[in-house]
Amino acid sequence: MLEDHQATTVEVPAQQAAGVPWPTGYPGGYAVVDVETTGLAPDDRIVSAAVYRLTARGEVEDHWYTPVNPERDPGPTWIHGLTSDMLADAPLFAEIAGDFAQRLEGRVLVAHNAVFDWKMIAREYARAKRVAPVEQRLCTIQLSKALGLPLANHRLETLAAHFGVEQRRAHHALDDARVLAEAFRPSLERAARLRLPLPLLACLPVTDWPQAASGGAARASGGSGAGWQPGWRAAKRRPPCPYPNPGRYEPGGRLTQGMRVAFSGDTSVDRELLEDQAFEAGLHIATSVSRLTSVLVTNDPQAPTSKVAKARAYGTPVLDEAAFTHLLREVAPAPEV
């Protein structure tokens, strides 16, 4: 049964500034957003969306949730819990675009790994021949890094646990948005006390969305319009992996410390962050694909890139980002020599 997608208004508690002068350059309001999607590629679709509107000091004004009919297979139902039957009578994105826009307008979009949520939202608005009224975004991963929070990793559940926020339904858009809103307020207050400039980034709209019948055509034309073309990025210098290479990843098995992992193409999580997570788990980050590469991670295994071509030639196993991230949770220890 679908949940009501009307806005729910809640009472705004009195602001308690605790004598802390608020930085004059901070935004006047925020829209904490979470979207669940059919996948991670540029041609994937939104299946649900939630927004918590916050005041300038992070107090909740109201919240809103809607399922969305993606007009295709809903993708990883084991993650977001939404099936084709559940979404059959849900509104199309074009039908909720106006309500969504009202909750975004004039506010900074806040999300955990905000570049992913913004890209998905911008693409959906482009398909609807509209532009999302968002000028800036703030990523809570980047904010937690700037604050120097002592987190073991940058997953939402880790940030929530740090601030004592209870997760009730992980990967449900409304609960993830609630959790993030509750964790964002103390982060914002801490940044204000430190007079820390917020890591705000411009939101560039998608202005040229290819109306293709298949994902292949979207990929051929860049998939996401102007402003989203991947650029050159200098490789991060890391210390050597302390574990020997145990060989190739066996499909269906576990990743093992020391495995050589290469990445190709766009990722929903910031590439450097994803590589950091892999390195912290004990994996070797490879900048190219060779016969020694254990696995290639890519969301587009048909892309005409040198890494994909070499992986195909060498028979290197290929994983998409979602599967790789799942396997990162339980990396097997390096075998004793």
Side-chain angles (χ1 to χ4, degrees):
M1 183 174 180
L2 293 175
E3 298 189 32
D4 185 3
H5 60 275
Q6 299 300 314
T8 302
T9 302
V10 296
E11 183 179 351
V12 179
Q15 294 179 355
Q16 297 179 354
V20 177
W22 204 254
T24 57
Y26 275 22
Y30 303 89
V32 178
V33 172
D34 185 76
V35 297
E36 298 298 319
T37 66
T38 61
L40 306 173
D43 53 338
D44 274 303
R45 305 295 302 272
I46 289 175
V47 296
S48 64
V51 181
Y52 266 72
R53 290 196 291 190
L54 309 182
T55 68
R57 295 185 180 233
E59 301 285 356
V60 175
E61 294 180 294
D62 60 22
H63 62 264
W64 172 86
Y65 167 81
T66 182
V68 180
N69 185 335
E71 304 178 90
R72 51 164 288 181
D73 185 279
T77 58
W78 63 92
I79 295 177
H80 53 60
L82 297 170
T83 65
S84 294
D85 288 343
M86 295 169 67
L87 295 172
D89 295 325
L92 304 180
F93 186 87
E95 295 171 331
I96 59 94
D99 285 346
F100 200 178
Q102 288 179 11
R103 286 156 180 84
L104 298 174
E105 190 167 9
R107 297 170 185 265
V108 170
L109 183 149
V110 177
H112 203 63
N113 188 34
V115 65
F116 172 72
D117 293 81
W118 167 245
K119 284 182 179 181
M120 296 303 299
I121 292 167
R123 289 166 182 153
E124 289 287 10
Y125 272 95
R127 291 185 185 98
K129 301 186 185 305
R130 299 181 60 164
V131 175
V134 181
E135 295 184 0
Q136 290 181 308
R137 66 179 185 268
L138 187 156
C139 179
T140 48
I141 294 175
Q142 299 302 325
L143 180 58
S144 65
K145 285 184 174 183
L147 290 170
L149 299 183
L151 305 178
N153 54 59
H154 293 287
R155 298 189 183 111
L156 177 58
E157 55 264 35
T158 305
L159 181 65
H162 177 77
F163 288 112
V165 180
E166 178 189 5
Q167 275 194 302
R168 299 167 191 155
R169 296 181 65 184
H171 298 297
H172 185 283
L174 183 59
D175 196 58
D176 279 355
R178 174 193 63 81
V179 167
L180 190 58
E182 291 184 21
F184 175 62
R185 183 173 67 178
S187 298
L188 182 63
E189 290 173 347
R190 183 173 301 190
R193 286 196 301 272
L194 296 173
R195 316 299 290 179
L196 184 75
L198 297 179
L200 301 175
L201 292 175
C203 286
L204 302 177
V206 174
T207 56
D208 183 21
W209 178 258
Q211 298 296 324
S214 67
R219 284 190 292 270
S221 59
S224 53
W228 295 124
Q229 300 302 322
W232 179 84
R233 181 180 61 87
K236 182 176 180 178
R237 298 179 69 88
R238 296 183 177 86
C241 179
Y243 308 108
N245 186 357
R248 287 185 172 178
Y249 166 74
E250 294 291 336
R254 294 172 64 183
L255 296 169
T256 303
Q257 289 179 327
M259 283 186 171
R260 298 177 65 93
V261 181
F263 296 86
S264 178
D266 277 345
T267 54
S268 68
V269 174
D270 178 81
R271 171 73 73 80
E272 185 171 301
L273 176 60
L274 188 60
E275 291 178 353
D276 284 346
Q277 292 173 344
F279 180 78
E280 290 165 5
L283 303 178
H284 176 106
I285 309 304
T287 57
S288 61
V289 173
S290 71
R291 289 181 173 84
L292 298 177
T293 303
S294 304
V295 63
L296 174 68
V297 178
T298 178
N299 290 322
D300 190 356
Q302 304 304 319
T305 68
S306 61
K307 289 182 181 178
V308 170
K310 287 181 179 179
R312 191 178 299 116
Y314 297 144
T316 303
V318 175
L319 290 172
D320 65 22
E321 182 184 353
F324 178 72
T325 303
H326 181 77
L327 290 171
L328 274 182
R329 298 175 183 173
E330 295 187 48
V331 175
E336 295 184 8
V337 180

